[in-house]
Amino acid sequence: MSASNSSEVGRALAEALAAVEAAASLDELKAARIAHEGDRSPLAQASAEIGTLPPAERAETGRRVGAARSELREALSRRQAQLEAERDQQVLVTEAVDVTLPSARVPRGARHPVTMLADRLSDVFIAMGYEVAEGPEVEAEWYNFDALNIPPDHPAREMQDTLFVAGSEGDSGMVLRTHTSPVQIRSLLTRPLPLYVVSPGRVYRNEAIDATHSPVFHQIEGLAVDEGLTMADLRGAIQAFVDAMFGVGLRTRFRPDYFPFTEPSGDVAMECHVCRGASAKPGGEPCRVCKSSGWIEIAGCGMVNPRVLVACGIDPDRYSGFAFGLGVERGLMIAHGVTDIRDTMDGDVRFSRAFGMEL
Ligand code: PHE
């Protein structure tokens, strides 16, 4: 019997429509589409037969088969749209997120305030063209002392309460660095001149812990060596630094001091950022931050001792330089009114959190 006669086409269409209706998923609909609309489906066969019919029947049969096929096509696309809508509805239900539910609240980690401040201080100098230089915390005595013009019997070795590292023969010649100044030597020996470096890092001293002392703390060191550098350049660098840290307008003061690796040496103080010097004037309110002196000591500094330049093979008649060093924890305490250095290393997040959770 011919697939294109009227009753066969009617039955094929009815079966196809029933299969479309019965398809309960997009996959089932796809199977129905292949079975009833595909190349080997009865309706496709009916189409193929049209050319073999007597010419008189072709037009009528063509219309009938065409109408059946287009009805099926419409039914398929309606069911497709229905099933897609059902699937989307299902996704909305199963993948719904209740944004009002409380989260797991795992606190994020963050950088330590001392690290944040060391980076901020470094950035001030990086902006002035300095490069960051770092050195080891277990350091050769030669770098920590000798090359910095601190000979073996020099009282400064005791002044700095050195922690010595034991070797197999006892004295290994190594120490836990007592300051970041050995990075000056490492930089002078390895970097081309002129040289502008800033060196943040951890340092160690054999000290008992109290509110203002710790055996481990951080320093940041600056070193510039160039032709024609003078104390005016040193003062300018320090002033730019204080401006960047505390805002423009605080004066700085330089008083003579002694460090074996700088000559002349100085201690730097800045005008108290809290009372701006008012507490030191007659009748001024007392200030806890500067103990009513009007000044806060922030750094040691000086012109690089020519002996240090010579130890590093640099001609002191051609080059001169300046250096400075300051304590990071101390800076943090001054800037934020922290009264106990132990708060900076207890690891209590209630302290750190107050400085923000920078990552
Ligand atoms: N290294 C010195 C200290 O730890 C500080 C300092 C650095 C002084 C650079 C002068 C120049 O006390």
Side-chain angles (χ1 to χ4, degrees), residues 160 178-181 184 205 219 221-222 259 261-262 300-302 323-326:
Q160 297 208 338
T178 58
H179 51 181
T180 42
S181 299
Q184 287 189 27
R205 291 185 191 182
Q219 287 188 334
E221 184 104 4
F259 298 102
F261 36 92
T262 46
C301 71
F324 50 85
L326 52 134

Side-chain angles (χ1 to χ4, degrees), residues 106-120:
V106 177
R108 283 193 313 173
R111 277 144 31 95
H112 192 275
V114 169
T115 311
M116 275 164 23
L117 180 58
D119 283 359
R120 233 179 100 206

Side-chain angles (χ1 to χ4, degrees), residues 346-359:
D346 279 348
D348 188 332
V349 292
R350 288 171 299 178
F351 171 79
S352 313
R353 222 179 258 143
F355 293 87
M357 300 297 276
E358 218 171 90
L359 290 180

Side-chain angles (χ1 to χ4, degrees), residues 8 11 14 34 64 80 100 115 138 140 150-151 164 195 211 215 218-219 222 226 229 251 267 271 275 308 324 358:
E8 281 305 311
R11 200 174 60 217
I34 292 167
R64 196 167 55 237
Q80 173 85 18
T100 66
T115 311
V138 177
I150 312 174
F164 292 87
L195 169 147
H218 296 75
Q219 287 188 334
D226 203 338
L229 288 181
R251 288 178 301 157
D267 100 59
E271 209 172 4
C275 72
V308 171
F324 50 85
E358 218 171 90

